[in-house]
Amino acid sequence: MPAHAKATFKIVTANRLADGEVVWLGHNEVWLETIESAWLLEDESALEAGEAAAARAVALNRIVDVEVIDVRREGGAIVPVRLRERIRAAGPTFRKDLGKQSRRASDAA
């Protein structure tokens, strides 16, 4: 890998079946509403474990639309590689008072 290239990792994302909320797989098969604590799947065995955890949650009708996505670490934050996933992590692009970004802003106040 070139020196300027940033390492990529995988995480598992889905939508919670109960309310459609975008969620990310954390450790111990916990589904999180924010990407910050998502489980970074850094090798093949972690990826297999993450996919198996997602399959169990799908079978229990907890989540739908499972995807394994590429992310990078930037300044300590987990940042999705694809724009679509960055939007899913932040919330609507047209109203900053809605979605996940509004919750973070109000939590900080």
Side-chain angles (χ1 to χ4, degrees):
M1 177 177 352
H4 66 280
K6 294 181 182 178
T8 59
F9 305 97
K10 305 275 187 201
I11 61 173
V12 179
T13 185
N15 291 86
R16 191 167 46 214
L17 190 57
D19 59 6
E21 182 77 28
V22 176
V23 291
W24 292 269
L25 179 62
H27 291 281
N28 299 318
E29 299 191 26
V30 174
W31 290 92
L32 309 166
E33 291 187 7
T34 58
I35 196 170
E36 288 84 11
S37 298
W39 177 18
L40 291 176
L41 307 172
E42 300 184 43
D43 58 35
E44 192 63 33
S45 65
L47 178 59
E48 289 173 6
E51 289 174 328
R56 285 188 289 277
V58 167
L60 292 169
N61 291 319
R62 293 187 180 148
I63 59 166
V64 294
D65 298 329
V66 174
E67 289 190 52
V68 175
I69 65 167
D70 293 320
V71 296
R72 292 188 179 110
R73 278 249 184 228
E74 294 181 8
I78 297 173
V79 179
V81 171
R82 293 180 50 217
L83 176 61
R84 175 186 187 272
E85 299 305 330
R86 290 194 297 270
I87 292 169
R88 288 180 77 235
T93 58
F94 59 95
R95 298 237 350 235
K96 300 297 182 185
D97 61 323
L98 299 174
K100 296 175 186 298
Q101 73 270 20
S102 68
R103 285 184 243 153
R104 281 193 213 109
S106 65
D107 291 345

XYZ file of all heavy atoms in Angstrom:
838
model
N 0.844 -1.165 0.000
C 0.000 0.000 0.000
C 0.898 1.240 0.000
O 1.847 1.301 0.773
C -0.886 -0.032 1.254
C -1.746 1.155 1.389
S -2.910 1.194 2.800
C -2.870 -0.354 3.577
N 0.625 2.239 -0.841
C 1.430 3.447 -0.859
C 1.376 4.150 0.491
O 0.387 4.058 1.219
C 0.769 4.309 -1.947
C -0.062 3.383 -2.753
C -0.406 2.241 -1.857
N 2.426 4.895 0.797
C 2.518 5.568 2.090
C 1.361 6.539 2.310
O 0.914 6.736 3.429
C 3.846 6.301 2.195
N 0.853 7.155 1.239
C -0.219 8.136 1.384
C -1.614 7.503 1.499
O -2.568 8.176 1.844
C -0.209 9.109 0.203
C -0.538 8.456 -1.108
N 0.391 7.750 -1.827
C -1.697 8.363 -1.797
C -0.183 7.279 -2.924
N -1.438 7.634 -2.930
N -1.735 6.213 1.227
C -3.041 5.549 1.283
C -3.436 5.304 2.736
O -2.601 4.971 3.569
C -2.998 4.231 0.528
N -4.715 5.482 3.023
C -5.227 5.240 4.366
C -5.783 3.823 4.429
O -6.424 3.357 3.502
C -6.326 6.237 4.697
C -5.821 7.650 4.788
C -6.943 8.592 5.140
C -6.408 10.003 5.186
N -7.440 10.972 5.479
N -5.549 3.158 5.541
C -6.052 1.800 5.734
C -7.575 1.820 5.793
O -8.171 2.728 6.368
C -5.489 1.220 7.020
N -8.188 0.838 5.193
C -9.635 0.700 5.284
C -9.977 -0.523 6.115
O -9.221 -1.486 6.172
C -10.294 0.586 3.896
O -9.767 -0.547 3.226
C -10.077 1.835 3.070
N -11.102 -0.430 6.761
C -11.635 -1.497 7.588
C -13.062 -1.748 7.135
O -13.615 -1.007 6.343
C -11.625 -1.094 9.068
C -10.282 -0.670 9.560
C -9.946 0.680 9.630
C -9.342 -1.610 9.951
C -8.703 1.078 10.079
C -8.094 -1.217 10.407
C -7.777 0.132 10.465
N -13.668 -2.763 7.680
C -15.061 -3.080 7.391
C -15.875 -2.902 8.661
O -15.379 -3.113 9.769
C -15.207 -4.531 6.920
C -14.342 -4.917 5.741
C -14.991 -4.570 4.461
C -14.184 -5.136 3.293
N -14.474 -4.448 2.062
N -17.135 -2.481 8.490
C -18.113 -2.508 9.571
C -19.420 -3.011 8.977
O -19.614 -3.003 7.766
C -18.308 -1.134 10.260
C -18.821 -0.076 9.280
C -17.027 -0.672 10.945
C -19.178 1.250 9.953
N -20.317 -3.448 9.851
C -21.621 -3.933 9.414
C -22.668 -2.881 9.763
O -22.709 -2.381 10.892
C -21.983 -5.278 10.089
C -23.355 -5.755 9.635
C -20.925 -6.332 9.788
N -23.492 -2.546 8.786
C -24.587 -1.609 8.989
C -25.880 -2.248 8.519
O -25.865 -3.195 7.726
C -24.324 -0.271 8.260
O -25.370 0.661 8.581
C -24.238 -0.446 6.765
N -26.992 -1.738 9.028
C -28.311 -2.262 8.671
C -29.349 -1.217 9.049
O -29.002 -0.113 9.501
C -28.578 -3.570 9.416
N -30.596 -1.570 8.877
C -31.698 -0.755 9.376
C -32.441 -1.577 10.416
O -32.722 -2.754 10.193
C -32.661 -0.360 8.257
C -32.025 0.608 7.307
O -31.354 0.209 6.362
N -32.208 1.889 7.552
N -32.759 -0.933 11.527
C -33.518 -1.603 12.579
C -34.948 -1.786 12.083
O -35.576 -0.840 11.594
C -33.482 -0.767 13.858
C -34.002 -1.484 15.059
C -33.688 -0.774 16.360
N -33.971 0.646 16.279
C -33.258 1.584 16.914
N -32.227 1.247 17.650
N -33.573 2.841 16.807
N -35.461 -2.986 12.178
C -36.773 -3.309 11.630
C -37.894 -2.549 12.345
O -38.861 -2.124 11.716
C -37.013 -4.813 11.702
C -38.230 -5.343 10.960
C -38.194 -4.975 9.485
C -38.336 -6.841 11.123
N -37.776 -2.332 13.628
C -38.851 -1.702 14.400
C -39.167 -0.282 13.955
O -40.319 0.141 13.964
C -38.501 -1.713 15.888
N -38.130 0.486 13.563
C -38.367 1.901 13.242
C -37.589 2.411 12.030
O -37.676 3.588 11.690
C -38.049 2.774 14.451
C -36.610 2.646 14.933
O -35.798 1.960 14.277
O -36.291 3.228 15.989
N -36.816 1.550 11.374
C -36.071 1.960 10.186
C -34.776 2.685 10.459
O -34.062 3.062 9.530
N -34.437 2.895 11.718
C -33.218 3.611 12.086
C -31.980 2.907 11.530
O -31.884 1.683 11.582
C -33.110 3.688 13.607
C -31.921 4.443 14.130
C -32.072 5.950 14.042
O -33.203 6.446 14.076
O -31.037 6.638 13.947
N -31.035 3.694 10.998
C -29.753 3.140 10.563
C -28.973 2.755 11.815
O -28.874 3.550 12.761
C -28.959 4.171 9.739
C -27.589 3.616 9.366
C -29.738 4.582 8.500
N -28.426 1.540 11.820
C -27.661 1.056 12.970
C -26.369 0.400 12.499
O -26.241 0.011 11.332
C -28.487 0.062 13.824
C -29.622 0.775 14.541
C -29.030 -1.093 12.986
N -25.418 0.307 13.412
C -24.123 -0.314 13.145
C -23.856 -1.360 14.207
O -24.212 -1.180 15.373
C -23.012 0.742 13.164
C -23.118 1.673 12.022
C -22.529 1.550 10.802
C -23.891 2.868 11.949
N -22.888 2.595 9.983
C -23.731 3.413 10.664
C -24.733 3.529 12.847
C -24.356 4.591 10.258
C -25.350 4.689 12.442
C -25.165 5.207 11.160
N -23.202 -2.426 13.800
C -22.881 -3.507 14.724
C -21.737 -3.098 15.632
O -20.663 -2.697 15.173
C -22.502 -4.775 13.947
C -22.122 -5.988 14.785
C -23.278 -6.438 15.662
C -21.640 -7.114 13.881
N -21.985 -3.207 16.939
C -20.945 -2.988 17.932
C -20.477 -4.323 18.474
O -20.925 -5.389 18.044
N -19.577 -4.268 19.432
C -19.109 -5.497 20.071
C -20.260 -6.155 20.819
O -21.227 -5.498 21.204
C -17.950 -5.194 21.018
C -16.709 -4.795 20.295
N -15.865 -5.698 19.697
C -16.182 -3.575 20.029
C -14.874 -5.067 19.113
N -15.048 -3.770 19.292
N -20.166 -7.435 21.036
C -21.158 -8.222 21.770
C -22.537 -8.199 21.116
O -23.553 -8.279 21.800
C -21.247 -7.755 23.229
C -19.930 -7.918 23.949
O -19.243 -8.920 23.789
N -19.552 -6.916 24.721
N -22.555 -8.039 19.793
C -23.794 -8.087 19.011
C -24.801 -7.019 19.410
O -26.010 -7.194 19.292
C -24.407 -9.481 19.047
C -23.476 -10.523 18.449
C -24.109 -11.879 18.217
O -25.339 -11.949 18.048
O -23.351 -12.868 18.187
N -24.309 -5.886 19.860
C -25.160 -4.739 20.177
C -25.262 -3.885 18.922
O -24.256 -3.603 18.272
C -24.543 -3.916 21.336
C -25.330 -2.643 21.573
C -24.465 -4.754 22.591
N -26.491 -3.443 18.581
C -26.705 -2.588 17.408
C -26.797 -1.146 17.883
O -27.622 -0.798 18.725
C -27.946 -3.040 16.649
C -27.679 -4.355 15.995
C -27.915 -5.594 16.504
C -27.031 -4.555 14.746
N -27.464 -6.563 15.642
C -26.926 -5.950 14.538
C -26.536 -3.700 13.758
C -26.342 -6.505 13.402
C -25.967 -4.246 12.618
C -25.867 -5.630 12.445
N -25.910 -0.306 17.359
C -25.736 1.071 17.811
C -26.358 2.063 16.844
O -26.313 1.872 15.633
C -24.237 1.371 17.927
C -23.421 0.362 18.729
C -21.940 0.570 18.496
C -23.769 0.476 20.203
N -26.876 3.164 17.369
C -27.481 4.198 16.532
C -26.460 5.187 15.978
O -26.800 5.985 15.109
C -28.562 4.943 17.299
C -29.780 4.092 17.573
C -30.919 4.859 18.192
O -30.835 6.101 18.307
O -31.913 4.222 18.569
N -25.258 5.170 16.491
C -24.209 6.048 15.962
C -23.001 5.208 15.560
O -22.730 4.153 16.144
C -23.776 7.115 17.000
O -23.322 6.461 18.183
C -24.925 8.055 17.330
N -22.283 5.696 14.576
C -21.179 4.946 13.987
C -19.912 4.968 14.855
O -19.050 4.119 14.709
C -20.881 5.491 12.569
C -20.029 4.501 11.769
C -20.275 6.882 12.634
C -19.900 4.872 10.295
N -19.818 5.904 15.779
C -18.577 6.118 16.531
C -18.039 4.890 17.247
O -16.832 4.736 17.391
C -18.741 7.256 17.556
C -18.804 8.622 16.950
C -20.199 9.017 16.479
O -21.173 8.289 16.814
O -20.323 10.016 15.772
N -18.918 4.029 17.716
C -18.473 2.850 18.467
C -18.660 1.549 17.697
O -18.650 0.465 18.290
C -19.219 2.765 19.803
O -18.932 3.898 20.593
N -18.835 1.651 16.384
C -19.013 0.447 15.578
C -17.789 -0.462 15.706
O -16.666 0.007 15.914
C -19.243 0.819 14.116
N -18.012 -1.733 15.566
C -16.953 -2.737 15.648
C -16.190 -2.739 14.333
O -16.735 -3.066 13.294
C -17.588 -4.081 15.939
C -16.675 -5.261 15.996
C -15.324 -5.263 16.162
C -17.064 -6.634 15.899
N -14.849 -6.547 16.170
C -15.891 -7.409 16.008
C -18.288 -7.275 15.728
C -15.918 -8.797 15.953
C -18.315 -8.650 15.676
C -17.131 -9.403 15.791
N -14.923 -2.362 14.378
C -14.052 -2.397 13.192
C -13.623 -3.833 12.944
O -12.948 -4.436 13.770
C -12.820 -1.521 13.388
C -13.052 -0.023 13.429
C -11.739 0.697 13.725
C -13.658 0.476 12.146
N -14.006 -4.354 11.804
C -13.684 -5.739 11.444
C -12.359 -5.713 10.688
O -12.317 -5.427 9.504
C -14.813 -6.322 10.601
C -16.204 -6.180 11.238
C -17.284 -6.607 10.269
C -16.297 -6.927 12.551
N -11.296 -5.971 11.412
C -9.952 -5.747 10.885
C -9.327 -6.956 10.199
O -8.264 -6.824 9.608
C -9.046 -5.257 12.013
C -9.553 -3.957 12.620
C -8.642 -3.400 13.677
O -7.416 -3.405 13.466
O -9.157 -2.972 14.724
N -9.966 -8.112 10.287
C -9.411 -9.287 9.611
C -10.550 -10.219 9.204
O -11.718 -9.965 9.509
C -8.380 -10.006 10.487
C -8.934 -10.462 11.824
O -10.127 -10.854 11.889
O -8.180 -10.434 12.807
N -10.207 -11.277 8.506
C -11.218 -12.189 7.956
C -12.046 -12.856 9.044
O -13.258 -13.017 8.898
C -10.533 -13.245 7.077
C -11.490 -14.042 6.233
C -12.263 -13.214 5.215
O -11.734 -12.229 4.692
O -13.441 -13.562 4.958
N -11.428 -13.230 10.162
C -12.201 -13.899 11.215
C -13.184 -12.926 11.873
O -14.319 -13.308 12.192
C -11.294 -14.539 12.262
O -10.567 -13.562 12.966
N -12.796 -11.672 12.049
C -13.711 -10.663 12.597
C -14.850 -10.407 11.616
O -16.014 -10.268 12.021
C -12.964 -9.372 12.911
N -14.538 -10.359 10.327
C -15.563 -10.155 9.305
C -16.581 -11.302 9.339
O -17.797 -11.068 9.316
C -14.928 -10.037 7.927
C -15.876 -9.861 6.748
C -16.724 -8.615 6.911
C -15.090 -9.818 5.447
N -16.105 -12.531 9.429
C -17.006 -13.680 9.507
C -17.874 -13.613 10.760
O -19.078 -13.903 10.705
C -16.199 -14.977 9.477
C -15.583 -15.264 8.125
C -14.649 -16.467 8.132
O -14.554 -17.167 9.173
O -14.001 -16.704 7.094
N -17.293 -13.208 11.874
C -18.058 -13.091 13.120
C -19.110 -11.990 13.010
O -20.249 -12.153 13.469
C -17.121 -12.812 14.293
N -18.754 -10.870 12.395
C -19.710 -9.781 12.196
C -20.851 -10.181 11.294
O -22.023 -9.865 11.569
N -20.540 -10.874 10.216
C -21.588 -11.337 9.304
C -22.502 -12.353 9.995
O -23.717 -12.345 9.787
C -20.968 -11.921 8.043
C -20.341 -10.856 7.155
C -19.585 -11.414 5.964
O -19.017 -12.525 6.079
O -19.561 -10.737 4.924
N -21.938 -13.215 10.816
C -22.741 -14.201 11.546
C -23.659 -13.503 12.560
O -24.829 -13.878 12.707
C -21.839 -15.209 12.248
N -23.145 -12.486 13.235
C -23.965 -11.719 14.183
C -25.123 -11.043 13.460
O -26.262 -11.036 13.953
C -23.106 -10.684 14.903
N -24.851 -10.490 12.292
C -25.907 -9.853 11.510
C -26.949 -10.874 11.074
O -28.159 -10.607 11.133
C -25.303 -9.135 10.304
N -26.510 -12.044 10.649
C -27.442 -13.088 10.226
C -28.361 -13.499 11.385
O -29.563 -13.725 11.172
C -26.679 -14.294 9.683
N -27.817 -13.577 12.594
C -28.644 -13.916 13.757
C -29.687 -12.831 14.014
O -30.855 -13.120 14.298
C -27.772 -14.140 14.995
C -27.026 -15.465 14.981
C -26.336 -15.757 16.296
N -25.181 -14.902 16.537
C -23.962 -15.111 16.043
N -23.736 -16.154 15.251
N -22.964 -14.298 16.333
N -29.285 -11.568 13.894
C -30.219 -10.459 14.122
C -31.305 -10.419 13.051
O -32.464 -10.109 13.348
C -29.453 -9.138 14.181
N -30.953 -10.752 11.819
C -31.952 -10.830 10.746
C -32.936 -11.956 11.053
O -34.160 -11.781 10.930
C -31.277 -11.039 9.368
C -32.296 -11.442 8.319
C -30.531 -9.783 8.939
N -32.435 -13.101 11.472
C -33.303 -14.245 11.776
C -34.265 -13.935 12.926
O -35.374 -14.463 12.972
C -32.449 -15.470 12.121
N -33.856 -13.031 13.831
C -34.706 -12.636 14.959
C -35.587 -11.432 14.620
O -36.245 -10.867 15.502
C -33.826 -12.306 16.175
C -33.086 -13.488 16.788
C -32.051 -13.011 17.807
C -34.076 -14.457 17.423
N -35.580 -11.026 13.342
C -36.373 -9.875 12.876
C -36.039 -8.580 13.614
O -36.924 -7.764 13.883
C -37.870 -10.165 12.968
C -38.300 -11.199 11.966
O -37.849 -11.194 10.825
N -39.147 -12.105 12.405
N -34.754 -8.382 13.905
C -34.313 -7.136 14.544
C -33.827 -6.114 13.524
O -33.971 -4.921 13.743
C -33.221 -7.430 15.560
C -33.720 -8.227 16.731
C -32.685 -8.373 17.806
N -33.253 -9.145 18.902
C -32.555 -9.953 19.673
N -31.271 -10.097 19.487
N -33.159 -10.617 20.633
N -33.208 -6.603 12.445
C -32.639 -5.717 11.433
C -32.962 -6.226 10.031
O -33.312 -7.392 9.864
C -31.102 -5.567 11.584
C -30.426 -6.945 11.459
C -30.730 -4.851 12.870
C -28.937 -6.888 11.265
N -32.809 -5.321 9.047
C -32.949 -5.663 7.632
C -31.880 -4.901 6.854
O -31.235 -3.994 7.380
C -34.347 -5.303 7.080
C -35.422 -6.144 7.738
C -34.648 -3.822 7.238
N -31.732 -5.250 5.589
C -30.826 -4.536 4.674
C -29.392 -4.452 5.195
O -28.781 -3.382 5.238
C -31.350 -3.130 4.358
C -32.686 -3.170 3.650
O -32.925 -4.149 2.903
O -33.500 -2.251 3.847
N -28.860 -5.578 5.568
C -27.493 -5.656 6.093
C -26.481 -5.380 4.982
O -26.616 -5.900 3.872
C -27.219 -7.043 6.708
C -25.760 -7.185 7.130
C -28.156 -7.292 7.868
N -25.481 -4.573 5.289
C -24.368 -4.335 4.372
C -23.067 -4.289 5.152
O -23.030 -3.784 6.274
C -24.529 -3.002 3.645
C -25.627 -2.986 2.619
C -25.572 -1.730 1.780
O -24.490 -1.426 1.235
O -26.598 -1.058 1.686
N -22.027 -4.811 4.545
C -20.673 -4.653 5.072
C -20.064 -3.514 4.261
O -20.045 -3.569 3.035
C -19.845 -5.949 4.913
C -18.411 -5.720 5.355
C -20.489 -7.085 5.697
N -19.614 -2.464 4.952
C -19.102 -1.287 4.248
C -17.653 -1.015 4.617
O -17.169 -1.443 5.673
C -19.966 -0.043 4.519
C -19.903 0.370 5.996
C -21.401 -0.273 4.064
C -20.471 1.745 6.281
N -16.977 -0.279 3.737
C -15.599 0.147 3.983
C -15.600 1.461 4.740
O -16.368 2.382 4.425
C -14.854 0.341 2.657
C -14.637 -0.957 1.916
O -14.331 -1.966 2.573
O -14.752 -0.956 0.681
N -14.714 1.545 5.737
C -14.538 2.775 6.510
C -13.050 3.037 6.720
O -12.220 2.132 6.562
C -15.251 2.703 7.881
C -16.754 2.592 7.718
C -14.721 1.568 8.738
N -12.749 4.270 7.090
C -11.391 4.665 7.461
C -11.431 5.335 8.819
O -12.463 5.839 9.236
C -10.833 5.659 6.434
C -10.590 5.069 5.085
C -9.850 6.080 4.207
N -9.594 5.498 2.916
C -10.180 5.862 1.784
N -11.060 6.836 1.777
N -9.899 5.256 0.651
N -10.291 5.349 9.459
C -10.115 6.129 10.688
C -9.516 7.459 10.274
O -8.472 7.506 9.631
C -9.155 5.418 11.635
C -9.828 4.360 12.412
C -9.856 4.832 13.842
N -10.396 3.847 14.713
C -11.329 4.153 15.601
N -11.799 5.361 15.677
N -11.784 3.248 16.396
N -10.194 8.549 10.630
C -9.677 9.889 10.327
C -9.793 10.728 11.585
O -10.899 11.034 12.032
C -10.450 10.523 9.169
C -10.230 9.798 7.857
C -10.972 10.433 6.691
O -11.545 11.540 6.845
O -10.973 9.818 5.608
N -8.647 11.079 12.150
C -8.654 11.871 13.373
C -9.378 11.193 14.517
O -10.044 11.841 15.307
N -9.308 9.878 14.580
C -9.965 9.125 15.636
C -11.416 8.785 15.341
O -12.027 8.022 16.070
N -11.988 9.356 14.287
C -13.384 9.090 13.926
C -13.460 7.979 12.879
O -12.544 7.806 12.080
C -14.029 10.357 13.379
N -14.564 7.256 12.879
C -14.838 6.265 11.843
C -15.589 6.988 10.732
O -16.656 7.559 10.963
C -15.672 5.103 12.395
C -14.900 4.354 13.490
C -16.070 4.157 11.274
C -15.706 3.295 14.204
N -15.021 6.968 9.522
C -15.603 7.683 8.384
C -15.839 6.705 7.240
O -14.896 6.095 6.741
C -14.676 8.826 7.922
C -15.273 9.555 6.730
C -14.385 9.782 9.071
N -17.092 6.542 6.823
C -17.360 5.670 5.683
C -16.668 6.167 4.415
O -16.544 7.378 4.201
C -18.884 5.753 5.521
C -19.382 6.132 6.873
C -18.331 7.055 7.419
N -16.227 5.256 3.577
C -15.544 5.602 2.331
C -16.534 6.183 1.324
O -16.256 7.196 0.697
C -14.817 4.362 1.751
C -14.284 4.631 0.368
C -13.700 3.927 2.698
N -17.693 5.564 1.185
C -18.678 5.996 0.186
C -19.571 7.117 0.719
O -19.977 7.107 1.885
C -19.567 4.817 -0.225
C -18.808 3.748 -0.990
C -19.676 2.575 -1.410
N -20.892 3.007 -2.063
C -22.070 2.396 -1.909
N -22.170 1.337 -1.126
N -23.136 2.833 -2.536
N -19.895 8.067 -0.143
C -20.753 9.198 0.216
C -22.099 8.713 0.750
O -22.601 9.238 1.750
C -20.953 10.119 -0.992
C -21.915 11.283 -0.769
C -21.417 12.189 0.341
C -22.124 12.060 -2.054
N -22.675 7.725 0.108
C -23.976 7.207 0.558
C -23.936 6.824 2.024
O -24.848 7.130 2.798
C -24.372 5.997 -0.289
C -25.645 5.314 0.187
C -25.900 4.022 -0.625
N -27.167 3.440 -0.304
C -27.377 2.568 0.692
N -26.378 2.191 1.460
N -28.578 2.076 0.910
N -22.878 6.158 2.433
C -22.770 5.713 3.825
C -22.464 6.871 4.767
O -22.882 6.852 5.925
C -21.717 4.610 3.946
C -22.050 3.373 3.136
C -23.427 2.787 3.442
O -23.928 2.909 4.576
O -24.027 2.188 2.527
N -21.739 7.883 4.296
C -21.519 9.083 5.127
C -22.853 9.781 5.393
O -23.100 10.256 6.496
C -20.518 10.028 4.466
C -19.094 9.468 4.476
C -18.049 10.516 4.141
N -18.164 11.078 2.821
C -17.579 10.612 1.719
N -16.805 9.532 1.805
N -17.727 11.206 0.567
N -23.717 9.833 4.378
C -25.040 10.438 4.555
C -25.870 9.609 5.527
O -26.532 10.159 6.418
C -25.755 10.604 3.200
C -25.025 11.650 2.359
C -27.225 10.962 3.392
C -25.466 11.710 0.914
N -25.845 8.295 5.391
C -26.594 7.432 6.321
C -26.109 7.617 7.757
O -26.887 7.565 8.694
C -26.469 5.962 5.924
C -27.249 5.616 4.668
C -27.108 4.138 4.286
N -27.963 3.327 5.150
C -27.543 2.315 5.884
N -26.284 1.964 5.879
N -28.385 1.635 6.630
N -24.809 7.857 7.928
C -24.249 8.037 9.270
C -24.650 9.380 9.880
O -24.854 9.484 11.087
C -22.729 7.924 9.222
N -24.785 10.409 9.042
C -25.065 11.762 9.539
C -26.551 12.079 9.583
O -27.020 12.747 10.495
C -24.354 12.794 8.670
N -27.285 11.643 8.602
C -28.701 11.981 8.515
C -28.969 12.825 7.282
O -28.087 13.003 6.439
N -30.171 13.383 7.175
C -30.559 14.132 5.979
C -29.588 15.272 5.667
O -29.093 15.941 6.573
C -31.934 14.696 6.339
C -32.432 13.838 7.445
C -31.217 13.354 8.177
N -29.349 15.486 4.385
C -28.415 16.546 3.986
C -29.102 17.893 3.853
O -28.436 18.914 3.802
C -27.757 16.206 2.636
O -28.785 16.038 1.654
C -26.921 14.957 2.731
N -30.407 17.905 3.781
C -31.117 19.151 3.529
C -31.614 19.837 4.789
O -31.954 21.005 4.756
C -32.285 18.921 2.551
C -33.282 17.920 3.048
C -34.410 18.324 3.728
C -33.071 16.568 2.844
C -35.333 17.396 4.191
C -33.996 15.640 3.296
C -35.123 16.050 3.980
N -31.688 19.134 5.919
C -32.142 19.730 7.173
C -31.254 19.229 8.294
O -31.352 18.093 8.729
C -33.587 19.337 7.462
C -34.572 19.810 6.443
C -35.706 20.672 6.927
N -35.963 20.855 8.316
C -37.149 20.603 8.880
N -38.143 20.105 8.185
N -37.334 20.854 10.153
N -30.383 20.087 8.764
C -29.453 19.706 9.827
C -30.140 19.574 11.185
O -29.545 19.116 12.145
C -28.307 20.714 9.922
C -27.492 20.829 8.647
C -26.813 19.537 8.308
C -25.969 19.696 7.060
N -25.383 18.471 6.617
N -31.406 20.004 11.279
C -32.139 19.887 12.533
C -32.850 18.535 12.670
O -33.553 18.293 13.638
C -33.153 21.025 12.675
C -34.200 21.017 11.559
O -33.843 20.707 10.409
O -35.373 21.345 11.849
N -32.637 17.662 11.685
C -33.229 16.330 11.712
C -32.131 15.277 11.688
O -31.007 15.550 11.300
C -34.127 16.128 10.478
C -35.311 17.074 10.346
C -35.999 16.847 9.010
C -36.291 16.912 11.486
N -32.456 14.082 12.063
C -31.523 12.969 11.932
C -30.454 12.939 13.001
O -30.506 13.635 14.011
N -29.463 12.135 12.751
C -28.406 11.887 13.721
C -27.595 13.135 14.054
O -27.186 13.329 15.183
C -27.503 10.762 13.220
C -28.243 9.440 13.110
C -27.393 8.371 12.514
C -28.163 7.109 12.269
N -28.722 6.473 13.439
N -27.354 14.001 13.054
C -26.554 15.184 13.328
C -27.248 16.111 14.309
O -26.589 16.776 15.103
C -26.150 15.916 12.039
C -27.265 16.670 11.348
C -28.006 15.839 10.341
O -27.970 14.611 10.375
N -28.684 16.474 9.409
N -28.569 16.182 14.318
C -29.280 17.039 15.260
C -29.172 16.479 16.674
O -29.063 17.241 17.633
C -30.748 17.195 14.868
O -31.434 15.972 15.023
N -29.175 15.169 16.795
C -29.047 14.560 18.121
C -27.666 14.819 18.699
O -27.531 15.098 19.870
C -29.311 13.064 18.048
C -30.784 12.768 17.903
C -31.036 11.292 17.929
N -31.602 10.991 16.616
C -31.503 9.839 16.012
N -30.854 8.840 16.567
N -32.056 9.633 14.859
N -26.624 14.742 17.873
C -25.269 15.012 18.366
C -25.144 16.451 18.805
O -24.548 16.754 19.813
C -24.236 14.681 17.296
C -23.965 13.220 17.220
C -22.730 12.944 16.391
N -22.960 11.684 15.716
C -23.180 11.529 14.434
N -23.140 12.555 13.619
N -23.414 10.357 13.925
N -25.702 17.385 18.033
C -25.610 18.803 18.377
C -26.338 19.091 19.680
O -25.840 19.796 20.546
C -26.169 19.667 17.244
N -27.519 18.513 19.867
C -28.271 18.766 21.091
C -27.644 18.045 22.281
O -27.723 18.531 23.400
C -29.741 18.363 20.910
O -29.831 16.964 20.711
N -27.016 16.895 22.046
C -26.335 16.181 23.128
C -25.142 16.978 23.646
O -24.825 16.929 24.826
C -25.853 14.809 22.674
C -27.009 13.835 22.415
O -28.135 14.131 22.842
O -26.773 12.805 21.763
N -24.472 17.700 22.746
C -23.287 18.465 23.136
C -23.648 19.717 23.901
O -22.847 20.263 24.646
C -22.483 18.843 21.888
N -24.870 20.213 23.726
C -25.294 21.470 24.375
C -25.583 21.266 25.840
O -25.772 20.241 26.357
C -26.523 22.010 23.668
